[in-house]
Amino acid sequence: MHRFLDYLFKEWFRQVGEALLLAFLVTTFLFTTVGVVGSSMNPTLLNGERVFVPKYETWLVRFGLMQWRRGEIAIVKPPEGTPNAVAQFPVLGFQFRAFFIKRIIGLPGDEVSLREGVVYLNGKPLNEVHITASLSPYPDSYPVVCYENERLTALFTQQQVRFTPEQLPEYLKPTLQMLAPPSPQDLAKSLAGEHCFTGSLKLKPGYYFVMGDNRTFGGSEDSRTFGPVPTEAIAGRANAVWWPLNRIRGLDIPEGFKGL
């Protein structure tokens, strides 16, 4: 009897181990699902919906066999230290850095800026009717920078928090390196005192600019707060909503991004 119970115990552990290994391989290399928490992707994604993520695409990108595209919805790990990026695991209570769901706005090499609520890509306004048809974007501008005597004195994040170059947290230092040079006119104005204006970011190789679709005041914490994200921070692409069943739908790239 003892040997029989021992056999059952070992067999149970073997089967559980095989099931866990299979689940790990599937969610790491084939596909996984992610739940939407909050309203940062309204009106495109709603709180409580679950999206399908083909994980094999992540590996294809990392091996250089495909690229993420503007307009795709990405599962993003924000940089360490990002405000409001720490979540608490249910029941067990330990904290972890949560994934965000955001839309890819700018690709490596793009120049990105936001002026009075309108996104500009490489100097051209982006038509985001998929948002503006339902929401009135907050007239936000980014990146707002200040110069005095032709030297950078401040960078403002999405929450209008002012950082001097010496005060920048570690996660914003790549942003500093991607600030486009100011125009001669803005530099000339800085000679008379501190001059603040909306600049732009020139994305370095391997970096992406991401934003939530909810552009109302405080609607989304994204690259305007934590800066552009590197390729390795993108864990996959959401290509469909599969839950709840009455809201199943594909997640196509909006028309405004096509042909850019």
Side-chain angles (χ1 to χ4, degrees):
M1 184 66 178
H2 176 73
R3 289 182 179 179
F4 178 70
L5 291 176
D6 186 54
Y7 167 78
L8 288 180
F9 192 65
K10 289 180 178 179
E11 185 66 15
W12 180 81
F13 261 99
R14 183 186 65 80
Q15 292 181 5
V16 169
E18 289 177 352
L20 290 175
L21 177 60
L22 179 61
F24 170 78
L25 293 174
V26 168
T27 58
T28 302
F29 297 104
L30 295 180
F31 66 88
T32 189
T33 67
V34 174
V36 178
V37 178
S39 60
S40 72
M41 279 300 293
N42 285 1
T44 307
L45 295 174
L46 305 179
N47 183 52
E49 292 182 332
R50 295 196 68 85
V51 296
F52 183 83
V53 181
K55 288 294 292 183
Y56 61 86
E57 292 183 345
T58 306
W59 296 101
L60 292 175
V61 170
R62 292 180 181 177
F63 286 116
L65 299 176
M66 68 172 283
Q67 294 180 332
W68 302 124
R69 297 180 294 172
R70 300 184 194 93
E72 291 180 330
I73 296 175
I75 314 302
V76 178
K77 176 78 80 171
E80 188 171 356
T82 297
N84 305 316
V86 176
Q88 188 162 310
F89 198 86
V91 183
L92 298 179
F94 63 84
Q95 293 185 330
F96 63 99
R97 191 155 39 107
F99 282 95
F100 288 172
I101 300 182
K102 306 295 175 185
R103 192 179 297 278
I104 296 175
I105 301 295
L107 303 180
D110 282 344
E111 188 163 333
V112 183
S113 65
L114 183 70
R115 301 172 186 271
E116 296 298 316
V118 178
V119 174
Y120 287 81
L121 274 177
N122 303 315
K124 297 181 180 180
L126 180 62
N127 181 5
E128 296 189 284
V129 67
H130 63 287
I131 297 173
T132 56
S134 303
L135 301 175
S136 297
Y138 180 73
D140 192 15
S141 294
Y142 178 89
V144 175
V145 293
C146 300
Y147 279 76
E148 188 170 5
N149 292 324
E150 300 186 342
R151 292 181 63 253
L152 180 70
T153 55
L155 167 69
F156 286 85
T157 63
Q158 179 182 5
Q159 289 92 355
Q160 299 301 308
V161 178
R162 177 187 172 114
F163 290 103
T164 65
E166 299 77 22
Q167 293 174 326
L168 278 180
E170 197 66 31
Y171 63 85
L172 279 179
K173 289 182 179 178
T175 301
L176 189 64
Q177 300 168 7
M178 288 182 256
L179 286 175
S183 68
Q185 294 82 0
D186 285 317
L187 286 179
K189 291 178 182 179
S190 75
L191 297 175
E194 188 175 60
H195 170 55
C196 299
F197 57 95
T198 302
S200 61
L201 294 183
K202 180 73 171 179
L203 299 179
K204 295 195 305 182
Y207 276 83
Y208 297 79
F209 195 87
V210 298
M211 295 178 68
D213 281 359
N214 186 352
R215 306 287 173 75
T216 60
F217 181 75
S220 170
E221 184 174 328
D222 45 47
S223 283
R224 293 169 291 172
T225 291
F226 50 74
V229 296
T231 303
E232 55 268 24
I234 298 179
R237 172 184 70 96
N239 73 349
V241 174
W242 69 271
W243 185 266
L245 297 179
N246 64 340
R247 295 208 291 267
I248 290 178
R249 62 193 183 279
L251 296 172
D252 298 324
I253 294 178
E255 285 295 327
F257 287 91
K258 296 177 180 178
L260 289 177

